[in-house]
Amino acid sequence: MSVGTSQSVVRGWAEFGRRLRFHRRRAGLTQLQLGRRVGYHHSFISRLEGGLREPPFDLVDRLDAVLETGGQLAAALVARPPSPSGPGPRLTAPTLFAPIPGAPVPGPPIAGAPVPGAGPPGETALLAAGPWSAQPWPARLPAEGLACPLHGRVGCATPDRGAVPDLLNALTGPFGRTGEPGGAEAELLHALTAVLACLIRAAFVRAAGACATTVERLLRGVARWADAVNATGRLPHGQLRLAAQYAQVAGRLRMERGQSGVAMAWFGHGLRWADAAQDAEARATLLSDMATLVRLDGDAASMLGYAQAIGAVDARRRWMTTLADLYQARAHALGHDAAACRRHISTARRRFARLDDRDRLEAPWLCGAEGVLRLESAIGGALRDLAVVTQDRAVARRAIEATARSYALLPPVMHSARLLLTLRLADSWACAGDPVAAVTLAQPVLAEAVGARESLITAELRGLHERLARYGGELPEVREYRERLRSVSE
């Protein structure tokens, strides 16, 4: 049951489930057979029949048609009050489908002109052969932490890889009167989620530029699709959830390239789409990315505001409050508030230790070994920032310990994260009064760091350079480091 859902809403779900089970059995269909006919996983049909899930707005009419109920399933929901998990009135907001970065300016169609959002001729072929195509194809969702935008984490099967080019072609083509591209809605949403998971993996092992281009092309198509569905009077719930996921990845890739303005624009669009779809998980993670972006500008006050907003999304979700504490700790470090920084670090550790099954389901990336990696990395960053402003070597040593714990858990594929943590560890040693240890760590990765051109790595490198100049500028090892830095930068 959704947190905060009223009993009257739950009773409506139960009545719908009873009627659904009756009509399915009358039609002689199993849950698996019915799920295939309407494009949903059989376990989701089971949850609907048990009254455990809200019937998605786009599924009810389809079930009525398949089961030939004469509209009885829709009638079961007529008297139901609006659910808090539905998209809500924000769908009428004039900025919801406002022009997005790189999108064509909206206007009336011109005879013979390309379809708006579809891109130049041949774009579909480029998308079909994009950087995602070299990655292993996920058989089911969730993948890379991305849940199905329609059915959540019930284990939806993805389409065969060979069908994806045709599905992408449907996305970039014209839509029908119902706002739908060719093919089943669920199948296209599943395919686009799987493609995004592949693009996230691809960004770990290749230049982010190609991945960013593909993500943004697909995102413009998804936004156009959501707008078309909305124009028909039907709520584009799944499309908005998917658009929020794509916008978050687009913003992160732009942020890595140092394009903070475009990154914030994508995060802002993603936040509006997540709000319209009432997607609390996407809202919390988008706010965390916005907090990171303003941190790179040294804006401690704005970072603190975004960090507090993460915890306000839903205080009953421990993973969200843990994330909020970690970001608040770093914001307070930048703001020179040592006591508040330490307090939030301690609270984050306590909350992390109490994450439950719901947290593990919603935020698997903050659980297990990966969760420890993220926790210690965030704490190490906050403590290093605090050591910089307080010049407290004991705090710097604690930063070294936390960063080293995080580094030890890094999988080999996370090259950028390994580079970033290496530089942060070196910086922490410099803050602890050992610039020789700092340059010993940094020297082997210096050329790679300079060539990375990623904003987070550039910020770490710049900070390390400042600390080495402050604490060991006359040491021969530091002079050698500066000379090597100049040579690899030319």
Side-chain angles (χ1 to χ4, degrees):
M1 183 186 304
S2 299
V3 174
T5 304
S6 69
Q7 291 301 311
S8 61
V9 169
V10 173
R11 284 195 297 270
W13 298 359
E15 176 60 21
F16 178 91
R18 284 191 292 270
R19 294 192 190 189
L20 175 59
R21 183 182 294 110
F22 169 81
H23 288 291
R24 175 182 61 78
R25 290 175 174 174
R26 189 197 63 174
L29 297 175
T30 65
Q31 292 175 343
L32 178 62
Q33 290 168 332
L34 178 59
R36 286 177 175 171
R37 292 194 184 190
V38 297
Y40 280 68
H41 195 268
H42 66 86
S43 62
F44 188 76
I45 300 297
S46 175
R47 293 186 184 192
L48 287 178
E49 291 186 353
L52 301 176
R53 291 293 298 271
E54 178 185 30
F57 60 89
D58 63 331
L59 176 61
V60 178
D61 290 341
R62 206 177 309 169
L63 287 168
D64 272 329
V66 169
L67 297 175
E68 298 179 352
T69 70
Q72 291 188 37
L73 295 176
L77 299 174
V78 168
R80 178 172 59 91
S83 165
S85 62
R90 292 184 181 85
L91 289 179
T92 62
T95 60
L96 189 60
F97 299 107
I100 57 179
V105 176
I110 301 172
V115 175
E123 178 169 297
T124 302
L126 291 174
L127 293 176
W132 67 269
S133 59
Q135 299 301 312
W137 183 252
R140 290 191 175 274
L141 302 175
E144 296 298 320
L146 301 174
C148 170
L150 281 178
H151 318 122
R153 293 176 171 80
V154 298
C156 297
T158 63
D160 292 337
R161 183 195 288 269
V164 173
D166 288 339
L167 290 169
L168 296 183
N169 185 59
L171 179 69
T172 56
F175 299 117
R177 291 184 178 180
T178 62
E180 293 301 327
E185 175 185 36
E187 187 176 41
L188 179 53
L189 287 169
H190 292 160
L192 285 164
T193 306
V195 167
L196 184 58
C198 291
L199 287 166
I200 291 172
R201 282 198 297 267
F204 280 132
V205 296
R206 63 181 295 164
C211 295
T213 299
T214 303
V215 167
E216 291 179 11
R217 284 176 172 173
L218 290 171
L219 173 50
R220 288 192 286 272
V222 174
R224 194 172 62 90
W225 181 16
D227 194 8
V229 172
N230 189 56
T232 68
R234 190 164 63 87
L235 303 180
H237 199 214
Q239 291 83 355
L240 289 173
R241 284 178 177 266
L242 182 63
Q245 292 176 338
Y246 265 85
Q248 183 163 27
V249 176
R252 287 175 177 175
L253 293 174
R254 290 285 190 166
M255 181 168 61
E256 286 180 8
R257 296 161 68 184
Q259 298 170 328
S260 59
V262 181
M264 188 59 85
W266 280 129
F267 292 149
H269 278 290
L271 198 60
R272 283 192 290 274
W273 293 329
D275 284 347
Q278 292 292 287
D279 189 340
E281 299 166 36
R283 178 173 177 78
T285 54
L286 279 159
L287 286 167
S288 70
D289 285 328
M290 295 168 95
T292 298
L293 191 56
V294 295
R295 174 178 62 80
L296 292 174
D297 290 334
D299 189 344
S302 293
M303 184 182 186
L304 183 59
Y306 285 125
Q308 291 169 340
I310 297 169
V313 173
D314 188 345
R316 293 162 292 193
R317 285 171 155 114
R318 289 197 185 104
W319 73 266
M320 291 186 186
T321 54
T322 301
L323 203 62
D325 278 313
L326 291 172
Y327 279 91
Q328 286 181 79
R330 194 147 190 188
H332 284 301
L334 291 175
H336 299 208
D337 191 338
C341 176
R342 294 189 181 98
R343 183 174 67 253
H344 282 288
I345 287 175
S346 298
T347 305
R349 287 195 184 280
R350 288 197 302 271
R351 285 178 167 151
F352 179 80
R354 297 172 58 211
L355 295 181
D356 57 20
D357 289 341
R358 180 185 183 184
D359 299 309
R360 284 185 281 274
L361 181 66
E362 292 183 350
W365 45 269
L366 196 57
C367 302
E370 185 179 2
V372 175
L373 186 160
R374 292 177 182 273
L375 177 79
E376 297 297 341
S377 174
I379 291 173
L383 290 172
R384 189 279 314 275
D385 292 347
L386 186 60
V388 170
V389 299
T390 62
Q391 300 187 30
D392 187 331
R393 293 186 176 183
V395 172
R397 288 191 289 272
R398 289 177 59 201
I400 292 169
E401 293 168 0
T403 305
R405 285 192 291 267
S406 179
Y407 185 92
L409 294 170
L410 277 173
V413 71
M414 297 180 70
H415 302 301
S416 293
R418 186 172 298 275
L419 189 56
L420 184 147
L421 289 182
T422 299
L423 295 174
R424 182 178 297 166
L425 194 58
D427 193 10
S428 299
W429 276 109
C431 292
D434 194 341
V436 175
V439 296
T440 301
L441 276 170
Q443 283 271 28
V445 301
L446 193 55
E448 186 180 0
V450 171
R453 306 297 183 189
E454 295 182 18
S455 59
L456 292 172
I457 292 173
T458 300
E460 293 288 343
L461 188 61
R462 183 170 58 249
L464 172 61
H465 184 68
E466 291 173 0
R467 255 71 78 190
L468 287 174
R470 180 190 303 173
Y471 299 121
E474 300 307 315
L475 292 173
E477 293 88 351
V478 174
R479 288 199 299 270
E480 181 183 349
Y481 165 86
R482 286 203 300 266
E483 291 170 2
R484 177 164 170 74
L485 179 62
R486 280 194 293 269
S487 66
V488 298
S489 298
E490 293 174 353

